[in-house]
Amino acid sequence: MTNPQLPQLPDRIKRLTDLAYDLWWTWNPIAREVFRRLDYGLWRQTAHNPVLMLRSVTPDQLAVLANDAEFVRLYDAAIEALDRARGAQDTWWLHQFGSGSGPIAYFSAEFALHQSLPIYAGGLGVLAGDHCKESSDLGLPLVGVGFMYPQGYFHQKISPEGWQQESYERLNWAEAAIEPACTQEGHNCIVPVPLGNRSVLVQVWRVRLGRVKLYLLDTDLEENAPWDRELSARLYGGDRETRIQQEIILGVGGVRALKALGSSPAVWHLNEGHAAFVVLQRIRDLIEAGQTFDGALEEVRRTTVFTTHTPVPAGHDAFPFNLVETHLAGCWGTLGAYRDRFMQLGAYDNGSGVQFNMTALALRTANGVNAVSQLHGVVTREMWGPIWPGVAEEARPVRAITNGIHEPTWLSNELARLFDEHLPSDWRERHDDPSVWTAIQSIPDDALWAVRGALREYLFAFIRERARSRWREQQVSAARVVAAGTLLDPNALTIGFARRFTGYKRPELIFHNPDRLRAILNAARRPVQLVFAGKAHPADETGKHHLQQVYRHAIDPSYGGRLAFIDDYDLHVAHFLVQGCDVWLNNPRKPLEASGTSGMKASVNGVPHLSIGDGWWAEGFTGENGWLIDGQAPPDDPEATDAADAAALYDLLERQIVPAFYDRDAAGIPRRWLAVVRQAIATVAPRFSARRMVREYAVHLYAPALWTENVSR
Ligand SMILES: *Cc1c(COP(=O)(O)O)cnc(C)c1O
């Protein structure tokens, strides 16, 4: 083992390190059970981090476990399942496409795999992580490429005034499931990347996810200058200069790293424009191998897939040409003769003059392009029209592949066990088949209601423990202990709102009419409570102001402690919230939410979505599986829209949601409520699964790229 800080394990259970070092464990119940049984206290204390647990268990404990028949049986089963997952020959991909193709390289600036590896900020990272996990399950030959970020994304604290404070903690690599990646000769993989007139060394780390491997780039090497060591330190932490340098490292460095590792991808998937410099290095390599510029561009196009993720203009990186010229100075090689042609590939005027636009570069150099929901497809075809001059809107080559979530990651154990009893026995393998879910009608109401109650209890236990630790460790005021959720009632209707705090997501919409909201929250016998969580991007002052306003309400006694803000939102908090709330609220300004995924996570857990008809909900809402907020205000009048949407939201709560939740029969069961819960699960679980999504990527984008390549050989 490469981690010198791990203890010597007894022979009988020595592959616990394999299990801990393959994040496959995170979505496989049997492996999770091994670590829970290992030491339940440590499991909780480390927020589910087996690498850290293995560093902390005592030799005596290990000796006892190695002789514990029950533990050893579980261990054997988990190891066998891991080996089967890594080596399986009967995967969907193999059945469909055979074993002949080279790997699919999936590039993303962030990956959300587990809370112990804080290399993600939000939705984009979760999508990338879920894509990789599902690719492992379906057997796709995928390798991921991203950043290691030794300081990751920030941790959030809230000041007494409600202002977000960011702190960065250095990740101790010995406490996370990452290892140095090795070349075929067995050396640590380190590649030089030209930046401006210098060369920066990039070390490559490896993360295992079943049959998928993820390679993470890191510039924090002693040989590099101090400012270069900092380049990959933080996710979205720096200015424009840092950003473009990071993108050169990801794109150019990523291609070089794969080559150094002996991998030759057949398809290159750029998840968002951040990674678009991949095409620069690839065109250069092809020219240096004897191709013409046009031939190289053609080859790159045929084998590049690009996914765009947002209609918000600020979400598309664009740089002044001089900045690009400066930092790409050392990257050209033989491609230098065609520098102007390359620069033209990125030239785009997004309203503030022509700049080098990473999305434009990707759109012009990828054959397979997709948006992330049906509605986002329409918006993208309209928005990027100048890329395809003279092409009618419907004919512009942007497909829609609606996002999905990796269900084994997001579905609660308690519900999965209920499904084991009542759904067809192969429901896990076939969870993207809608017919599997019709059997949800056979789950008895009382059993379903009991699970929903248990999940709400877990959420409140989690919230209380977090509030307790803030109280104990930071001596926060009593009002802030209330704002952390200590007065929440585990039997009351609980609405969750957790996502990045930013203007277009309108976190304050529900406070539009505070008196009406207070009446809803404090209603006698039918109280409603609200739980908020989310970080604002460090540079987003507007987002921080929204957060502050929400926090001020949370410490305001007139809301009766029925309003909580949970700090430091991450995957761990997200799991508790999407499983334990009763309703999931989403009220963006349409059409700015390209897809959204947290509502899918909630729905599959029986937490129906209460949302504007934007993103995935525009195609997901059936009339019976949640609620649609539709203020029907005239377009282009933001203030009227806010007022109308808020009023529509209150109406839904007062007339439909609160009565359905609190009307109980003689046995105390809310029958009407459970009908919505069932519909939410049965309609969302198959259609908005990462399984359905990855299959669509494979069939519509990866396979055509592989197939044309094979023909040309
Ligand atoms: C799912 C998830 C998101 C994305 O949420 P949206 O509602 O789609 O914006 C962001 N952060 C975390 C931690 C998540 O788990």
Side-chain angles (χ1 to χ4, degrees):
M1 179 83 318
T2 46
N3 183 347
Q5 309 198 33
L6 287 182
Q8 187 75 28
L9 294 172
D11 267 357
R12 183 65 184 84
I13 53 174
K14 72 170 191 293
R15 291 192 62 201
L16 276 176
T17 44
D18 285 355
L19 208 54
Y21 272 86
D22 191 325
L23 290 176
W24 174 90
W25 74 260
T26 63
W27 75 91
N28 285 279
I30 188 154
R32 295 174 65 87
E33 197 52 32
V34 167
F35 293 113
R36 291 166 69 100
R37 294 276 182 93
L38 186 75
D39 183 329
Y40 187 66
L42 268 181
W43 168 257
R44 297 265 313 251
Q45 205 183 313
T46 62
H48 310 174
N49 181 347
V51 173
L52 197 50
M53 289 176 72
L54 287 183
R55 283 188 53 176
S56 315
V57 285
T58 63
D60 288 350
Q61 252 178 310
L62 289 167
V64 170
L65 287 165
N67 288 304
D68 173 340
E70 176 66 6
F71 182 81
V72 167
R73 188 193 56 77
L74 204 59
Y75 162 88
D76 285 342
I79 295 292
E80 195 205 314
L82 172 66
D83 288 341
R84 214 175 329 115
R86 284 180 179 173
Q89 293 302 312
D90 57 352
T91 65
W92 174 78
W93 174 270
L94 285 175
H95 283 293
Q96 293 291 312
F97 304 111
S99 60
S101 76
I104 298 151
Y106 182 92
F107 281 70
S108 181
E110 47 173 310
F111 287 90
L113 305 165
H114 188 256
Q115 55 264 19
S116 59
L117 208 53
I119 55 170
Y120 62 93
L124 181 69
V126 175
L127 188 86
D130 282 10
H131 191 106
C132 291
K133 292 173 181 175
E134 188 59 53
S135 294
S136 174
D137 290 346
L138 287 173
L140 269 65
L142 189 117
V143 294
V145 180
F147 266 118
M148 159 66 191
Y149 305 118
Q151 298 177 32
Y153 199 49
F154 70 92
H155 286 284
Q156 179 193 53
K157 279 192 186 146
I158 308 295
S159 79
E161 295 73 41
W163 197 249
Q164 169 176 294
Q165 293 171 331
E166 295 111 29
S167 67
Y168 290 87
E169 277 169 30
R170 228 193 130 69
L171 178 76
N172 179 347
W173 73 264
E175 294 178 356
I178 53 176
E179 302 163 271
C182 287
T183 61
Q184 282 163 329
E185 296 76 40
H187 305 301
N188 279 3
C189 180
I190 295 176
V191 292
V193 178
L195 270 187
N197 296 320
R198 64 196 194 281
S199 178
V200 174
L201 293 182
V202 173
Q203 160 151 26
V204 187
W205 297 82
R206 186 186 73 174
V207 176
R208 295 193 75 144
L209 299 159
R211 50 169 62 228
V212 166
K213 291 184 184 75
L214 182 57
Y215 295 107
L216 302 178
L217 312 178
D218 177 12
T219 62
D220 188 17
L221 285 154
E222 272 177 23
E223 295 87 335
N224 287 331
W227 47 90
D228 288 333
R229 296 183 69 166
E230 286 283 310
L231 270 181
S232 73
R234 298 172 178 185
L235 172 56
Y236 307 143
D239 55 11
R240 304 308 293 162
E241 298 240 350
T242 307
R243 184 65 163 253
I244 190 170
Q245 294 181 81
Q246 286 188 333
E247 294 187 355
I248 293 170
I249 290 174
L250 179 60
V252 172
V255 175
R256 292 174 174 218
L258 288 177
K259 197 182 205 174
L261 290 162
S263 175
S264 25
V267 180
W268 304 72
H269 187 165
L270 314 178
N271 187 45
E272 195 55 297
H274 307 133
F277 285 131
V278 160
V279 305
L280 186 156
Q281 182 67 40
R282 289 192 61 214
I283 294 175
R284 174 179 167 180
D285 285 348
L286 288 164
I287 289 178
E288 286 174 3
Q291 292 255 30
T292 61
F293 182 84
D294 289 307
L297 183 57
E298 201 41 49
E299 171 77 14
V300 165
R301 260 201 200 115
R302 197 165 56 221
T303 49
T304 301
V305 168
F306 171 56
T307 305
T308 178
H309 283 271
T310 180
V312 179
H316 298 274
D317 277 325
F319 303 103
F321 281 98
N322 61 351
L323 203 63
V324 183
E325 293 273 3
T326 305
H327 293 290
L328 284 184
C331 287
W332 300 107
T334 317
L335 178 55
Y338 306 94
R339 204 171 66 181
D340 291 344
R341 289 201 60 192
F342 182 83
M343 294 299 258
Q344 277 308 309
L345 292 170
Y348 194 78
D349 184 352
N350 61 4
S352 44
V354 181
Q355 291 196 311
F356 190 90
N357 185 301
M358 298 298 280
T359 303
L361 173 62
L363 288 169
R364 291 192 181 112
T365 54
N367 238 359
V369 173
N370 77 293
V372 292
S373 70
Q374 299 299 322
L375 182 59
H376 181 226
V378 175
V379 174
T380 302
R381 286 188 284 271
E382 201 227 293
M383 182 175 168
W384 294 93
I387 295 284
W388 306 280
V391 179
E393 203 167 305
E394 324 73 68
R396 293 174 191 157
V398 179
R399 172 181 287 281
I401 297 182
T402 304
N403 284 346
I405 52 156
H406 184 243
E407 258 146 61
T409 293
W410 290 104
L411 188 62
S412 81
N413 260 337
E414 286 68 17
L415 266 179
R417 278 199 289 268
L418 202 57
F419 297 160
D420 284 338
E421 283 173 46
H422 299 279
L423 297 185
S425 60
D426 59 351
W427 72 272
R428 288 175 201 261
E429 289 74 56
R430 291 203 293 134
H431 70 255
D432 60 336
D433 175 354
S435 72
V436 163
W437 295 92
T438 54
I440 197 144
Q441 299 303 338
S442 65
I443 301 179
D445 274 348
D446 55 348
L448 187 56
W449 185 235
V451 167
R452 289 291 332 138
L455 294 174
R456 208 181 312 109
E457 287 281 352
Y458 296 160
L459 169 64
F460 290 119
F462 172 76
I463 287 177
R464 249 191 333 272
E465 284 315 305
R466 190 166 268 226
R468 194 190 311 283
S469 79
R470 300 295 180 265
W471 173 237
R472 201 178 54 223
E473 289 159 16
Q474 299 164 27
Q475 287 87 43
V476 297
S477 69
R480 302 184 66 197
V481 177
V482 172
T486 34
L487 289 185
L488 295 174
D489 172 355
N491 296 308
L493 171 61
T494 304
I495 301 174
F497 182 102
R499 51 181 55 82
R500 183 159 56 89
F501 269 65
T502 191
Y504 81 84
K505 294 184 187 249
R506 298 192 290 181
E508 286 181 72
L509 187 77
I510 200 168
F511 299 99
H512 199 266
N513 181 341
D515 290 333
R516 197 164 167 192
L517 177 62
R518 272 189 280 264
I520 294 171
L521 299 194
N522 292 321
R525 296 196 316 281
R526 296 188 160 194
V528 175
Q529 44 200 17
L530 276 168
V531 181
F532 283 87
K535 296 173 177 175
H537 185 287
D540 182 359
E541 293 287 311
T542 312
K544 290 185 192 178
H545 279 287
H546 286 302
L547 196 157
Q548 182 172 40
Q549 289 307 323
V550 169
Y551 195 78
R552 285 187 174 152
H553 293 303
I555 53 177
D556 176 349
S558 71
Y559 289 98
R562 301 203 189 274
L563 178 52
F565 184 88
I566 314 302
D567 62 12
D568 208 20
Y569 185 49
D570 68 353
L571 286 177
H572 196 48
V573 178
H575 269 92
F576 283 100
L577 285 173
V578 298
Q579 296 176 0
C581 291
D582 295 297
V583 173
W584 197 254
L585 176 63
N586 179 43
N587 44 234
R589 205 180 286 290
K590 195 171 172 176
L592 297 181
E593 188 71 87
S595 168
T597 52
S598 61
M600 302 173 188
K601 302 168 193 165
S603 294
V604 302
N605 281 292
V607 178
H609 203 208
L610 165 58
S611 173
I612 298 284
D614 197 11
W616 77 278
W617 199 232
E619 63 200 88
F621 178 59
T622 63
E624 297 174 332
N625 61 351
W627 303 273
L628 180 71
I629 307 168
D630 184 3
Q632 302 192 329
D636 303 326
D637 185 344
E639 274 169 38
T641 304
D642 287 356
D645 287 343
L649 170 57
Y650 299 134
D651 282 347
L652 283 170
L653 287 169
E654 291 163 350
R655 294 181 197 161
Q656 297 189 34
I657 297 172
V658 173
F661 185 84
Y662 282 110
D663 287 351
R664 307 284 165 93
D665 69 359
I669 294 191
R671 306 280 172 193
R672 269 196 296 148
W673 184 262
L674 290 176
V676 183
V677 167
R678 271 178 227 283
Q679 284 296 322
I681 299 171
T683 58
V684 176
R687 267 182 69 196
F688 299 96
S689 61
R691 176 147 305 179
R692 186 270 310 149
M693 171 184 80
V694 171
R695 282 185 162 142
E696 286 188 22
Y697 276 100
V699 170
H700 298 300
L701 296 177
Y702 299 157
L706 289 166
W707 186 71
T708 52
E709 190 203 41
N710 289 343
V711 164
S712 72
R713 270 189 194 148

